[in-house]
Amino acid sequence: MSQLSNVKNVREILNRHGFSFSKKLGQNFIVNPSVCPRIAELGGAGPDTGVLEIGPGLGVLTWELASRARKVVAIELDERLLPVLEETLSEFDNVTVIQGDVLKIDLGELIRQEFPGMEVVVCANLPYYITSPIVMHLLEARLPVKAITVMVQKEAADRICAAPGSRNAGALSAAVSYYASARVLFSVSRGSFMPAPQVDSAVIRLEIRPQPAVAPVDEALFFKIIRAGFSQRRKTLANSLSSGLGLAKNRVAAALEQAGIHPSARAEELTLEDFCRLTSQIFEGDFDKKV
Ligand code: SAM
């Protein structure tokens, strides 16, 4: 096990490098020794696997990944951490650290170059200020990865993994379940981090589907309808779709009826299949020209 989750060691390394935490970059480093081995194991890091990590920080999770996987590529935005990582990961020859913003990197190209012939998984303790953009960036790029196992704030975990029809269901969980099957693996208390954040966290796993869960007639319209449906949660679907898509309410009501959805239903009650049928009706009803 790495010495990096020992608080005394972490303080010593940080002091020696004159490093101070950046709240802006979501720097809460794991200091609970039981967390990273579990993420690495459950994330699928193994002798034939390539692992893409986002935000290695001091390298505490990277260490656990590198000792199990064939290769690890870690993307870190904060260049002050590069000399630290060089020291903490010096015993490994299967780790590449790339300095950059994960949201600006062509991850498909990076995976093709760095992991030829390997099964690839993503493992990370995500910076919380951009959890949803990173998750959507990973999913929308249709990366050739098997699974994404990441730690996020507890509340974000509940929103990402919400089942259709449940209280937490929203545009994010609908989009996630289109690309992947998502579940919460385990919770992590705020005291497991340095500095400790205000809230607890959870590790989630998104198992990427070989094909999206449904096949909408027009994917862009499908997501536009989902976003519009959830945009005003207190309104009925007929109202929120009419204002969100700029369509007459009676036309929306007709499309809902043709799709077999009650006009007073709310977006969180709909399954992906419902949204898919609704997309067909709106698309075929000539509404697409106005959307
Ligand atoms: N993996 C480490 C751990 O578990 O202790 C650090 C996790 S910390 C929550 C998030 C890390 O992501 C930080 O090291 C931060 O500098 C980095 N980061 C923040 N924004 C980033 C971005 N846009 N692209 C890549 N890394 C980023």
Side-chain angles (χ1 to χ4, degrees):
M1 189 194 290
S2 123
Q3 294 306 302
L4 288 171
S5 35
N6 174 316
V7 175
K8 209 169 128 236
N9 290 344
V10 170
R11 287 225 168 86
E12 192 275 317
I13 294 169
L14 294 177
N15 285 341
R16 194 151 35 76
H17 286 269
F19 182 86
S20 54
F21 295 100
S22 161
K23 207 171 169 182
K24 202 176 82 189
L25 291 181
Q27 290 177 342
N28 301 95
F29 297 159
I30 301 173
V31 288
N32 176 339
S34 68
V35 175
C36 291
R38 279 182 88 188
I39 298 178
E41 289 292 331
L42 295 171
D48 299 322
T49 326
V51 184
L52 177 66
E53 188 191 1
I54 297 150
L58 296 182
V60 59
L61 174 59
T62 326
W63 199 100
E64 299 296 338
L65 297 170
S67 48
R68 291 168 175 79
R70 182 145 138 214
K71 182 171 183 187
V72 179
V73 173
I75 302 172
E76 174 56 61
L77 180 57
D78 188 346
E79 56 190 348
R80 298 174 306 154
L81 288 166
L82 300 192
V84 180
L85 288 163
E86 206 162 306
E87 177 186 325
T88 57
L89 301 172
S90 61
E91 68 199 86
F92 297 104
D93 60 7
N94 61 342
V95 181
T96 304
V97 177
I98 294 174
Q99 194 271 321
D101 181 342
V102 66
L103 294 178
K104 295 188 180 149
I105 290 177
D106 180 344
L107 297 175
E109 184 57 28
L110 182 137
I111 288 173
R112 271 185 290 281
Q113 278 180 10
E114 299 284 348
F115 303 115
M118 286 177 233
E119 181 173 273
V120 180
V121 296
V122 177
C123 282
N125 171 19
L126 289 183
Y128 294 164
Y129 73 106
I130 43 169
T131 295
S132 306
I134 292 179
V135 168
M136 288 316 298
H137 182 59
L138 293 170
L139 293 173
E140 284 172 349
R142 301 262 172 99
L143 302 175
V145 303
K146 185 170 186 287
I148 299 170
T149 306
V150 286
M151 176 136 63
V152 299
Q153 284 190 342
K154 179 89 180 51
E155 188 250 331
D158 293 339
R159 280 193 298 114
I160 291 170
C161 300
S166 67
R167 192 171 51 90
N168 282 315
L172 179 61
S173 61
V176 167
S177 63
Y178 177 71
Y179 296 109
S181 78
R183 67 197 165 100
V184 178
L185 295 182
F186 62 95
S187 303
V188 178
S189 71
R190 63 196 78 180
S192 299
F193 300 87
M194 187 164 105
Q198 303 281 340
V199 290
D200 294 329
S201 294
V203 176
I204 60 172
R205 181 172 165 92
L206 312 181
E207 195 91 31
I208 307 299
R209 301 182 193 282
Q211 300 296 329
V214 292
V217 59
D218 179 323
E219 198 178 65
L221 179 61
F222 172 74
F223 281 115
K224 201 165 179 177
I225 291 170
I226 288 177
R227 277 195 301 274
F230 283 106
S231 63
Q232 293 157 299
R233 297 182 75 104
R234 271 172 300 171
K235 287 192 175 178
T236 62
L237 258 184
N239 282 327
S240 54
L241 289 178
S242 157
S243 59
L245 300 173
L247 295 172
K249 208 175 146 191
N250 62 340
R251 307 291 302 272
V252 173
L256 285 167
E257 197 187 327
Q258 281 153 7
I261 301 164
H262 199 278
S264 66
R266 289 172 198 280
E268 57 267 36
E269 295 164 32
L270 267 57
T271 62
L272 287 183
E273 288 76 12
D274 292 329
F275 277 116
C276 199
R277 285 198 315 281
L278 184 57
T279 304
S280 299
Q281 292 305 328
I282 288 182
F283 185 83
E284 285 156 20
D286 248 355
F287 300 145
D288 54 321
K289 298 185 182 71
K290 300 182 196 116
V291 174

